[in-house]
Amino acid sequence: MTSRPSPSPGRPAPLKKRSALVPTIIVVAALVVAVLIFSGIYTDFLWFKQLGFANVFWTERLAKLLIFVGAFLIMAVAVFFSIRIAYRARPIYAPDNAMADNLSRYQMQLEPVRRVVMLGVPVVFGLFAGTAAMAQWEKVMLFLYREPFGSTDPEFGLDISFYTNTLPFLGFLAGMLISATVIAFIAGVLTHYLYGAIRLTERGIFTSRQAQAHIAVMAGIFLLLLGGNFWLGRYATLQDNGGYRAGALFTDVNAVIPTQAILAAAALIVAVLFIVAAFLGKWKLPLIGTGMLVVTSVVAGGIYPWAVQEWQVKPSEGNVELPFIERNINMTRDAYGLTDMEVTPYNATTTATAGALRQDADTAANIRLLDPNLMSSTFAQLEQYRPYYKFPKTLNVDRYTIDGKVQDAVIAVRELNPDGINPNQQSWYNQHLVYTHGYGVVAAYGNKVTSDGKPEFMQSGVPSQGELGTDSSYQPRIYFGQSTTDYSVVGAPEGTGPIELDRPQGNTPTENTDNPADESLTTFTGDAGPSVGNFFNRLMYALKFQSTDLLLTNGVNEESQILYDRTPLERVEKVAPYLTLDNNPYPAIVDGKVKWIVDGYTTSSQYPYSQQQQLQEATTDSLTAAGTAMPNASVNYIRNSVKATVDAYDGSVELFAWDDQDPILKAWQNVFPTTVKPYSEMSGDVMSHVRYPEDLFKVQRELMGRYHVTDPTDFFKNTLAWSVPDDPTTTAVDKQPPYYLSLKMPGQDQTAFSLTTSFIPQEVQNTDSRNILYGFMSANGDAGSVKGEKSPDYGKIQLLELPDATQVPGPGQVQNTFQSDPAVSEQLNVLKLGQSDVINGNLLTLPVGGGMLYVQPVYVKSTGSTSYPTLQRVLVAFGNKIGYAATLDEALDNLFGGDSGAAAGDFGLDKEEPGTGGSSTDGSGTPAGGGNAALTKALTDASAAIKDGQAALAKGDFAAYGETQKRLEAAIAAALAAEGAAPAAPASPEASATPAAP
């Protein structure tokens, strides 16, 4: 007997030893993955717990877990028992041909792992089913906690909640059961084939008696579920968006719904035949029944509805569809909150007469001159102070009460700009422990500017000061904002030296310095994030953010908190996952704090007879084209059910049930009790800054293009359809955004902070449409200022309908008139001298003076990296007449015959030398009362000097170029002097009207 030789030192280890390492590697990898998953779950729990929303964390995850387990069991059990039944029904016989011999070999190879496979296959399919079902947790919860709407559908008379809550769940359940049945059937058939219960022979397919019974039962179950699905399909026709309009139309009601019932009954009968056949072994009737079911499906489910549509509906569609179109109109308007909209005929005049604005003095005084879409760079140059601060690209419009008077304000906060940190200082320590927050609110009056066209600030500076408060009256530090996307670690024990950079020491907005002595330091003292004061939490967050610095730094102490998920939308979305959020949160100083106000919507795509809207398409306009529109989802029901606030200092979130009658919100309140407060707990300060939500208004105005028509006959003809006009101030073809304005609508007694939009005739692609005004819509956004009391006028939508034969120019026509008028162009050319850019601000539309007034601020921006727009002119239009001046007040007086009857917000502002003024123009664009030959000559000389200078440069003649620059300077001086001597506008409106082609 010989002994096995031992391996030599240079020889690789035996395969057996190396293979022993594989399980160890697998176990280690599994542990690493488990720790990473645990760190994610644990840190999420800490985040929710710190905010006071731990019940949301547990409820959502428990719901998903239970749904996962339920779907896993349904799929896994069905597949397991189907395989097991098929295996136990296997025939015992000796192979009698080559195919059977091959199957026998497969069986022998499978036998060592048969138990693993018979358990593993169901588990795998169960995991897939559970994962897919878990994503439908909202449908399950809405069904379990459903609340009635109190209104019914017009076809079946069922409560609307059946369609929004019950039917989606039943459809999900039916789909899951059908999928489990089909997969179990396939698994059973394959098992029967593998073990010989089903096999191919020379005579055909042989099927054992047990296999036949198994297949028959599975087919019967499938047909029962299919019959139930057919029955549910009857109700789903009311949600169909594939026809002329959403909902069950003539063909659906008279053909599809009856045939769906027939198919459900037929499927039930055939299912019974299959189950009977499983016991009797007689297959003739179920096979005939199956054939008849297929034929019935084709004839009754396809051919018959098609025939009804083609031969009965299409020839008389305008008559037979009217009752169903009326259903669609009523249900759509109800689903989008438009039922109570007030429609007012408005026979707008186009004649500008003296004193026309006397009855609209409050509106005229509040006309906004600052365009929040252009003011970001102006705010930055005047109020940014340091490169590590920034303002958003588009500022917000709000209102504040100052000296007892409500003033519109353009407002923003100085947020932290991590990209503005000096590259030499962008260490982990600085980015996460030193530069942690922004500072202060900046707000300017919306209706006036300084004499040089800059914003007149009501709140500004560092330290923060102004009409809205000081550092001692409100907390100015911005730890949570729209730009704070990275995490920060803050907090320290009392007595520890501060390390967070707080704000510049001085009030020098243009000074950029990296000298630490010029900056004050602070330590965060609030409760804003989970603790990382112990090693375990630090380890978990180090894993979450994949940062060894977080684990090893000495800048973290026992009082440290970690702040993350810091944008207002992120925080509200996590604590209220059932809400669709408005994409324009805005800051307000309320209750001694800066708070972000976020509008939340409950939505559904299952409302019967309601027309679906694609949210992203409906909310995209010239300001949101860059990708800030709502998500790409379709809805046909929407409510502004929740107003949320996020504290900019400590990140705390409060949810208020703004529409407490919304059944979908009530259902979610049943799911997450105590998370949403009644709006009666909302402070008066917050209440006074609530606005009508912008994205909701965009969705509603998109619908109003068709659904302002309530007569089904006119609706079907589509001759009265409207469109939202394109923004005339941009070169891209994008819709004009709605504008927040403080105005008094015709027929109203008080001025209200409203969201407004205009309508023109429907624009059809590849055709020229008239750009005239057909409608003007406003939504009242004033909720009052009393704690817990919502103004009854809040949310009131008023639509002004102009006559069909109106000649009131639309925004596009007005902008074209502004740009093409020779007198206006001459004035604007003066502003362009010296290589400056002239920028048209937002074109506002206001229903005042018995007609429609257009107001457009004109800004001038010089070239250079530090340039910013300043207001230099105001263009106005009323009917076919336009006016322009250095101030709005003067422009309105010029437009309305020398006296508008009202004082604008910039009344008394001295922007120009005495004797200068604006003008209104006649048909040729010449200022009424005579031209300005000196100005024309100066502009001609300037243009010639510029051309000569370019020619001199091209030749390399720098001496000649210098001479042309002197000529240009002289021409500019002459133009400015000539403009200062421009004749004043006359009082006669007839002599100064510039017609615009309607």
Side-chain angles (χ1 to χ4, degrees), residues 411-442:
I411 188 170
V413 296
R414 283 188 207 87
E415 293 199 49
L416 180 68
N417 176 25
D419 295 331
I421 303 173
N422 190 311
N424 296 329
Q425 295 179 316
Q426 289 190 3
S427 63
W428 180 91
Y429 189 93
N430 279 341
Q431 288 178 321
H432 297 283
L433 276 70
V434 176
Y435 294 90
T436 58
H437 61 279
Y439 185 90
V441 168
V442 178

Side-chain angles (χ1 to χ4, degrees), residues 721-842:
W722 298 343
S723 290
V724 176
D726 292 332
D727 190 345
T729 65
T730 64
T731 56
V733 182
D734 294 307
K735 287 174 287 192
Q736 187 179 41
Y739 297 120
Y740 286 104
L741 299 170
S742 286
L743 58 85
K744 182 171 67 176
M745 289 288 287
Q748 301 300 315
D749 297 327
Q750 293 182 336
T751 300
F753 186 73
S754 305
L755 191 54
T756 64
T757 192
S758 56
F759 295 99
I760 61 174
Q762 184 180 39
E763 294 183 310
V764 181
Q765 195 172 10
N766 300 323
T767 63
D768 293 327
S769 302
R770 298 178 71 203
N771 197 284
I772 57 176
L773 205 65
Y774 266 17
F776 180 85
M777 187 169 80
S778 75
N780 189 318
D782 275 342
S785 57
V786 179
K787 178 182 178 180
E789 293 185 17
K790 188 194 306 184
S791 169
D793 290 330
Y794 175 86
K796 181 179 180 180
I797 299 177
Q798 184 175 358
L799 176 67
L800 302 181
E801 280 191 336
L802 279 67
D804 295 342
T806 181
Q807 298 299 313
V808 177
Q813 275 195 13
V814 171
Q815 188 68 55
N816 181 67
T817 303
F818 285 158
Q819 293 174 343
S820 61
D821 186 89
V824 174
S825 298
E826 185 178 82
Q827 292 286 319
L828 296 183
N829 283 336
V830 174
L831 302 178
K832 294 179 182 178
L833 295 176
Q835 299 182 343
S836 295
D837 293 327
V838 175
I839 305 172
N840 294 320
N842 43 208

Side-chain angles (χ1 to χ4, degrees), residues 920-938:
S920 57
T921 66
D922 59 20
S924 64
T926 303
N932 189 337
L935 177 60
T936 302
K937 181 180 184 303

Side-chain angles (χ1 to χ4, degrees), residues 126-140:
L127 290 174
F128 280 116
T131 302
M134 190 168 58
Q136 305 298 317
W137 73 278
E138 292 186 4
K139 290 181 180 179
V140 178

Side-chain angles (χ1 to χ4, degrees), residues 249-296:
L249 303 181
F250 182 90
T251 300
D252 299 306
V253 171
N254 295 281
V256 175
I257 291 176
T259 55
Q260 292 275 26
I262 293 171
L263 290 172
L268 177 62
I269 293 171
V270 177
V272 172
L273 292 177
F274 267 103
I275 292 174
V276 170
F279 295 97
L280 300 181
K282 297 181 179 180
W283 294 91
K284 184 176 182 180
L285 286 179
L287 292 177
I288 293 174
T290 302
M292 291 299 297
L293 181 60
V294 172
V295 173
T296 303

